Structure formats: structure tokens, C-alpha cells
Amino acid sequence: MAKSPETEHPQRAFGWAARDPSGVLSPFNFSRRENGDEDVTIKIHFCGICHSDLHSIKNEWGIARYPIVPGHEIVGIVTKSGTNVSKFKEGDRVGVGVMVGSCRSCDYCNQQLENYCPKMTFTYGSIDRDGTPTYGGYSDIIVVDQHFVVRFPDSMPFDAGAPLLCAGVTVYSPMKYYGMADEPAGKHLGVVGLGGLGHVAVKIGKAFGLKVTVISHSPGKEGEAVGRLGADGFLVSSDPLQIKAASGSMDYIIDTVSAVHALTPLLALLKTNGKLITLGLPDKPLELPIAPLVLGRKLVGGSDIGGMKETQEMLDFCAKHNITADVEVIPMDQVNVAMARLAKSDVRYRFVIDVANYLSK
Amino acid sequence: MVANQPEKEHPMPAFGLAARDPSGVLSPFNFSRRATGEKDVKFKVMYCGICHSDLHMIKNEWGTSTYPLVPGHEIVGEVTEVGRQVEKFKVGDRVGVGCMVGSCRSCDNCSNGVENYCPKMILTYAGTYHDGTITYGGYSDVMVCDEHFVVRVPDALPLDAAAPLLCAGITLYSPLRYYGLDKPGIHVGVVGLGGLGHVGVKFAKAMGAKVTVISTSPAKKQEAIERHGADSFLVSRDQEQMQAAMGTLDGIIDTVSAVHPIMPLIGLLKTHGKLVLVGAPEKPLELPVFPLLMGRKIVGGSCIGGMKETQEMLDFAAKHNITADIEVISADYVNTAMQRLEKGDVKYRFVIDVANTLQQA
């Protein structure tokens, strides 16, 4: 007979879970494994709300296994570290992102690209090596293999730094891989969508030394984009005149939009050899016009979070350049309200759940 | 409006085959070429390859054709006159001209040796030259061309079988280099075994790749392997074969210009794999985004190549004994050849024996 979430592991845990595709989250008693030799146990302080959490709890990708405890932008303090753990000790400030396991032996794992391991285990919604489901950071504690834990820089505030664990590495990784940090002087990056991913991409792009233009369907975001986030320019994507005027001006575009949307105007913005990197996960295929790719030697590429080494590198880079997310901190019991607002993009630019304070009440 | 008077617009009489209307029927055509300018090379056309683009253009399938239209952009011959400032060529040299006869020579692309991506690039036929006249291609007795857009055909290459390299050859060579698919030991797929595809197999093999041909026609398997040297063959409509080959290719060059599904091709790619399209279907294709992200894969395009690279390609072909597989035809067979080409009935490029068979009545 299957064990219940409460009894399948020895350590008691508490969080908020979605039980069905309505996506409504509610209190949930479950359990965590004993802290193994390679593990650290983390008391969770904050957890960012990623748009993927919303997609998951509503089963928008069709792969949900309920109950789901979301959350993969987790920061907290180490309370226990296993006998083989040398990187961390009790009291350390640490973070956990989108992965908690991989095969550790394939070519990708050996190149620190655990995110591309075919057996990669997600922080929530996967089946762990012991056959039990993984539960994420909308909870009080988590037990994670040290390899999948990163050190949180001392200078970085917990709440505003948490979203970097997904949003940060999700833009940092492709920006490095597709060459945006190589000889950035004079190069021009377009960022499509000014949400959780987009606003961090603007900050990282500026820190790389790129000229950055935000491309958005909401004219109202221009003030923030240019005034507060430091973007050099702003384009309204639905305005054909603005698109035409900027035609052939960008070396790269980071496209963070997850709704189905037109690629033709974005490809037109690219110079010859330009690269459109798409990071959103629409629920249907996009239409890809081929002539612009052929006639301009342009490409469309994907990317999926980043490896563990790169996640640490990204955090250290952000700490050095004072980059954090712009956050709205909420108590755990407001999480359903936050999800409803997130569905309407009504947040500047990431909700972060103050887990520790809520649970202490 | 004064009618175009092809016979009189330039001082030197020329003769060729032109389509007069979108029926695409080619017939004898008297016109004229400019006098050999200071930087021009004049050459007697010996052979001209028939590219599938010629068929699209004579029938105005892309909507850009102007009539009368003299096709031909796989042109080889012998130099008969050079202008005073010409340094690279002399009378008697074996030369070739491909898809371009001019560009702006000052933009970034021109300065970087990729004249093919210059926004003002001038096509060898149906283009508008610097002097405002229409360009006429190589189904004709003589060509006058700026030396910058002329290449030397190495002595080791027979003129007739080298002609198709000027379009088909460079169209495959350039993306194999640019997208890094030229490293020994990598596994490359070639979609479509026609004029482009068969040359692509030869180049990829010469660069040290393992090559798989992907085709809708099982009948092409034997030739692909025994004649062109492919290592294996996949029938794209055979689900089992395609499934078994998933995640095995580092790159794919897709030469198919009809609308076709690219999702199965993206599935054939390993993580970090690259799908490169060199045909341009007239409608957008469906791009499944998940596989692109999950495997950090790209879909890119490519269009012929620059002049420096075209010469490099010919020199590489000479070194590795690469020529096209051709059927040499007489000029009066050209309409029949076009009909056969439309049905894919050629192994694998028609080449018109211009010098011996193109005669005024």
C-alpha cells in the first residue's frame, strides 16, 4: 500500500500544495527524507513565485502529478549537513533552484550541464531516485544533495536574491552561451517581455556592457524600463512603425514571452547573423518564417535554466554588480491572491513568499 | 514609358535563352552586355548549371521576376578580356560566377566578406545593376562581371561538373563551416538528396563527418550510400526509423524548399544540435518550442556564401575531388530539362553545354 506524503519520509514537513488543476493552494502536511551523507537540510526563509509554478499547478503542460508543492527559487539557512558535505556548514546562507538531482555520470553532468541530463530531477513535480515525488520551496524545510545547493553571497539580500535561482540563471546561461558577454561593446540586445525574466535580463545585459532595448506590448512599461531598470530604449511590439524603424538593429534578442506570439517582427529586428533566444514555454508551437532566417543567416535558439557551476557563477556575478530582482514580498497565506495577479502580469516583477515569518506565527 | 530594349541598351551583342512570361518557356533571346569596364572580366560562357531557383524564377513563383528573364547562376567559362584595373585574372583563365554580380561594397557585411547578406546585393539575373539595367544570367554566350564577383575554377576541376558548385556547392559549404558542422567525427544529417543535398553529402564527408541522408524516397538509399558516400539513410516518413535515430545528430542541413514538418528533424538532433535550413518554404513552419529549450537546440538559416568563401569552397573541392553529379544537355533541351527538374527527374544537376550548343538560329 502506498505511503502517504506525511509518512513516506522520517522528517515532518509543512507547505502549501495544489491538489488539482484549479491550482488553488492550501496547507499540506508532508515529509522530507533523513539528511543523508551528501545532503544538507535547509530551513527555508523565502521562495520566489516563478510563472512556471502557475503553469504547473494548473496543469497547463499536461504533465502534473498532484499534490504539487511548487517553488524553485528557494533561499534559506543550513540546519544540518551530512558527513560527506564539505562545501556547507550549519548557518550558511544557501539557495536551491530548479534541480535537485541528475545522473552525475553522463557527458552533460560531467560538463556541469546537469540541466541537460536526460535524468535530471526537478525540485518539484519529479520522481526522485527513491521513487517518491519531489516537493518544492513553498514549504518550511528541504533536504538537498550538496551538489545542487549554491552558496548565497553575503552581500545579497535573501528576498530580492531568491528569484535569481530560476529567473536569473535562465537568462544568464543563454546570454553567456550565445556569446552576449563576448566583446559586448557596441552590441545591442533586445529583451521581449518585461516580467520576472525580462527585468533581470535587462539588468544583466547592462552589466555585460550591452545596449539594451525592451520590447513590450504594454506602452505603459516604458517609464519603468528606461527610468528604473536602466534600459537604453523601449519598443512597442504591436506598433509596426516602431518595429520598422528598429529593423536590423539588434545583435541578440532574449524572448521571455510564454504566450503564443509572432516571431516575424522580432526576426526583423535582428541584424545579419542575429540570434533570437526563446525562453518562454508556450502551450502550442510557434510559427517560424524561414525566409528571414535564410536571407539574414539568423537563428532561433532555446535554453533551459543553467548548470550548477553556472548558477553559482551567476549569483557571484550578480552580487558583484548589485543585481537582484525587483520583488513584492507576501505572506504564504496570500499565495492564491498572488497567483491570480501573476496570471494578469500584475506584479513588479516577482512575488517572493516570506516563508519563515509566516510559519513562525 | 519606353519599352526595355535589351538589344540596344549596351554596346556588345549577346545571345541567350530567356523566359518571356510565367509559363517559364525559354526561347532564343538577343540582348547586349556592357563594354568591359576597368574592373570587369569578360568571359566566354562554356557551361551553366540549372539550379532549381531558375525554375522558380522563370515561373515567377516568388513574385520577383521581371521578363524577359535569362536565368543561370552556376556559370563557368574562359576569360576573353580584362579591364585595365583587373589584377586577379588574365585572358585564358578558367573562371566562374555564382548568384551575385554586385553589392554595396561598403556596409559591415561587405567589409566582412559576406556580400551575400548585403541589403543591396545584386543578383546575377533578374536583379538591377548599378547602371539601372536588368541583369541577365548564364544561359547565354558571354558574361561581363566585376572581378570581385568572379572566382577562379581550379585546374583540377572539370568545368562542367564544377559549375553547380557555384550555387549548390557554396550553399552547403558555407553553413557547414559557419555552424561548426565541419569538425571530424561529428554526425551530420542532410535532408533531401537533390542538387544541393548530394553536394552537401560530399562536402560533409570530406570534412570528416559521419553523414546520414534523410529523404522521403526509399529508392534513393542505394545511391546515397554507394555513390555519394553517405554512412546511412533515413526514410523520413518511416516513424520507426526516425524514432530509432532520435538524439543522434549534431547537425542537420535541410535542403527541402517545400513546406514540411521540422519537429521530427529537431527530434533527431542531440542536445546542442543545430538544424540549418537552406531552402526557404513559402509559408512559416511550425516550431515546437519545448524541444528547442530542453535540448538547447537551434534552428538557423543560411544563404549561399561570400566571395572569399566561394573561392575557398572551390579550392577545397579541388583538393578533395568534389564535383557535382551532372547530366550535360544541349541548349535546345532546356525546356524538357525544366519539366524533368520539376519532377525531380535528374541525377543530380542539369548543366547546359553553352559553348557547343547555344547558337543563334
Side-chain angles (χ1 to χ4, degrees), chain B residues 94-107:
Chain B
R94 302 158 95 241
V95 295
V97 168
C99 303
M100 324 180 262
V101 291
S103 70
C104 83
R105 308 293 301 279
S106 59
C107 68

Side-chain angles (χ1 to χ4, degrees), chain A residues 34-158:
Chain A
E34 199 63 67
N35 198 80
D37 294 337
E38 300 286 334
D39 290 336
V40 293
T41 298
I42 302 166
K43 175 183 152 93
I44 297 175
H45 280 229
F46 294 93
C47 186
I49 297 184
C50 177
H51 207 120
S52 299
D53 299 347
L54 181 54
H55 291 308
S56 296
I57 58 181
K58 296 199 161 206
N59 196 19
E60 284 173 15
W61 298 323
I63 51 171
R65 268 187 284 251
Y66 295 98
I68 296 174
V69 175
H72 56 209
E73 295 182 340
I74 308 166
V75 293
I77 304 285
V78 175
T79 56
K80 224 184 287 179
S81 66
T83 50
N84 289 343
V85 174
S86 49
K87 291 199 295 177
F88 304 105
K89 60 188 190 307
E90 234 179 275
D92 281 349
R93 301 168 89 237
V94 294
V96 175
V98 184
M99 315 181 272
V100 291
S102 70
C103 83
R104 310 292 302 278
S105 59
C106 68
D107 283 345
Y108 304 110
C109 287
N110 289 336
Q111 293 171 62
Q112 287 105 27
L113 295 173
E114 300 88 350
N115 45 324
Y116 298 111
C117 169
K119 297 191 177 149
M120 185 265 281
T121 307
F122 289 107
T123 300
Y124 68 85
S126 276
I127 301 295
D128 213 339
R129 269 178 308 179
D130 60 6
T132 62
T134 53
Y135 294 116
Y138 295 16
S139 62
D140 55 354
I141 63 163
I142 190 167
V143 178
V144 184
D145 183 310
Q146 62 168 328
H147 186 80
F148 295 90
V149 178
V150 284
R151 178 176 314 285
F152 217 71
D154 289 335
S155 61
M156 187 176 280
F158 254 173

Side-chain angles (χ1 to χ4, degrees), chain A residues 175 180 187-191 201-202 204-206 210-215 249-254:
Chain A
M175 289 171 78
M180 299 182 209
K187 300 266 175 64
H188 186 181
L189 165 69
V191 177
V202 172
I204 293 179
K206 290 304 300 172
L210 298 164
K211 175 177 163 183
V212 179
T213 295
V214 169
I215 301 149
S249 66
M250 296 178 190
D251 299 273
Y252 318 100
I253 292 175
I254 292 266

Side-chain angles (χ1 to χ4, degrees), chain B residues 67-128:
Chain B
Y67 297 99
L69 193 151
V70 176
H73 57 208
E74 297 181 339
I75 318 167
V76 294
E78 286 175 7
V79 178
T80 55
E81 188 184 350
V82 296
R84 274 186 322 154
Q85 291 189 33
V86 168
E87 293 175 355
K88 295 195 291 178
F89 303 103
K90 59 186 191 308
V91 172
D93 281 350
R94 302 158 95 241
V95 295
V97 168
C99 303
M100 324 180 262
V101 291
S103 70
C104 83
R105 308 293 301 279
S106 59
C107 68
D108 282 345
N109 287 333
C110 286
S111 305
N112 290 328
V114 284
E115 302 88 347
N116 45 322
Y117 300 114
C118 169
K120 299 192 174 147
M121 184 265 282
I122 302 169
L123 294 170
T124 299
Y125 66 85
T128 304

Side-chain angles (χ1 to χ4, degrees), chain A residues 47 57 60 73 120 172 218 261 285-286 303 319 335 348 352 358:
Chain A
C47 186
I57 58 181
E60 284 173 15
E73 295 182 340
M120 185 265 281
Y172 182 86
S218 327
H261 59 290
L286 299 181
S303 183
V335 70
R348 285 196 159 94
V352 172
Y358 161 78

Side-chain angles (χ1 to χ4, degrees), chain A residues 175-238:
Chain A
M175 289 171 78
K176 293 290 299 268
Y177 180 70
Y178 288 102
M180 299 182 209
D182 304 336
E183 300 175 353
K187 300 266 175 64
H188 186 181
L189 165 69
V191 177
V192 188
L194 198 63
L197 258 54
H199 89 290
V200 173
V202 172
K203 297 185 188 197
I204 293 179
K206 290 304 300 172
F208 279 172
L210 298 164
K211 175 177 163 183
V212 179
T213 295
V214 169
I215 301 149
S216 171
H217 59 243
S218 327
K221 293 192 176 183
E222 178 165 5
E224 287 258 327
V226 175
R228 191 166 126 188
L229 297 170
D232 299 282
F234 187 90
L235 277 183
V236 178
S237 46
S238 50

